[in-house]
Amino acid sequence: MSKNTKNKSSVISVSDDSTEEKLLSRAGVIKKFITNNSNYNNEIAFLIDMKIMSGKNRFFVYDLKNNKIIDQGLVAHGFGSETPIQGQLKFSNINQSLCTSLGKYYIGNSYTGNFGKAYKLYGLDETNNNAFIRNIVLHKYDKVPYEEQDKPICKSFGCPMINADFYKRIEKLIDNSKGKIILEIYY
């Protein structure tokens, strides 16, 4: 994987080698998961590394065929995931927890909600199988900054919430996908 792959408007890089190793490992898990299952997109996946501070790019669009990051952006985590220790998060699959849930999801149909067009998320693991009943969705929010920064960004009610400009690029990928795209949130 190249650490300096050109994108439409920016240079894409991973913050350090351990982040890159985790990304490669998670991509491998997704490849195994989607093998022999034509319901899923086998070209791209969305990977979110919650170990990375929210002010830094931690939502990665990953090219499964060429093993490289093709886009990235900021993503919020849930209010309930905050702990008293700076940089440490907790996760929950419990309704009303306002926490982010770890695990693999598939991106379902879109609908129009409080934040405009959003995509329903369906948890595929025990750690996130309540996503649908918790109303955990992929959506945009105008308070999520576009550029990286040195401080944490706003928080969500547990949803992966991204910047509107980044969302436009993600939306095109989802809407044009012939199979369900896997989104994995890991720590």
Side-chain angles (χ1 to χ4, degrees):
M1 175 178 4
S2 170
K3 285 192 178 187
N4 292 316
T5 306
K6 289 283 183 195
N7 182 19
K8 295 174 188 164
S9 61
S10 64
V11 173
I12 296 179
S13 64
V14 189
S15 59
D16 62 40
D17 288 339
S18 66
T19 299
E20 184 174 357
E21 287 172 22
K22 259 198 317 190
L23 188 71
L24 285 169
S25 171
R26 299 318 310 160
V29 168
I30 290 171
K31 285 179 186 183
K32 283 182 187 166
F33 180 77
I34 63 175
T35 299
N36 301 321
N37 191 332
S38 60
N39 291 329
Y40 297 109
N41 183 314
N42 65 358
E43 295 179 4
I44 61 166
F46 301 154
L47 299 161
I48 300 174
D49 187 344
M50 287 292 164
K51 268 288 194 196
I52 299 172
M53 192 264 293
S54 66
K56 301 298 180 188
N57 290 332
R58 62 183 182 170
F59 185 121
F60 302 102
V61 178
Y62 194 80
D63 179 334
L64 295 167
K65 297 280 188 198
N66 297 301
N67 293 314
K68 66 180 182 179
I69 298 167
I70 55 175
D71 204 352
Q72 64 185 344
L74 303 179
V75 60
H77 57 261
F79 281 102
S81 289
E82 290 289 307
T83 69
I85 301 167
Q86 180 86 20
Q88 271 193 359
L89 298 176
K90 65 181 181 178
F91 304 93
S92 176
N93 191 28
I94 296 171
N95 202 12
Q96 307 292 321
S97 68
L98 304 181
C99 286
T100 296
S101 295
L102 299 178
K104 290 183 298 303
Y105 300 79
Y106 76 81
I107 299 172
N109 294 327
S110 65
Y111 71 98
T112 302
N114 293 338
F115 300 100
K117 185 177 179 181
Y119 295 90
K120 295 182 183 278
L121 294 179
Y122 296 86
L124 297 168
D125 298 315
E126 276 188 37
T127 55
N128 66 0
N129 61 5
N130 289 328
F132 184 79
I133 63 168
R134 290 182 63 210
N135 295 312
I136 302 300
V137 301
L138 175 62
H139 67 87
K140 64 185 173 224
Y141 184 53
D142 60 358
K143 302 264 191 277
V144 176
Y146 184 74
E147 298 291 331
E148 289 187 301
Q149 54 190 37
D150 291 326
K151 60 183 186 212
I153 63 170
C154 57
K155 295 165 198 67
S156 72
F157 289 164
C159 298
M161 182 172 76
I162 60 178
N163 171 275
D165 289 332
F166 182 46
Y167 186 84
K168 286 178 193 171
R169 299 195 304 268
I170 298 302
E171 178 181 27
K172 283 181 189 170
L173 292 171
I174 297 168
D175 290 345
N176 292 321
S177 179
K178 290 181 176 50
K180 297 171 186 161
I181 296 175
I182 297 291
L183 177 149
E184 183 175 12
I185 300 176
Y186 57 95
Y187 190 64

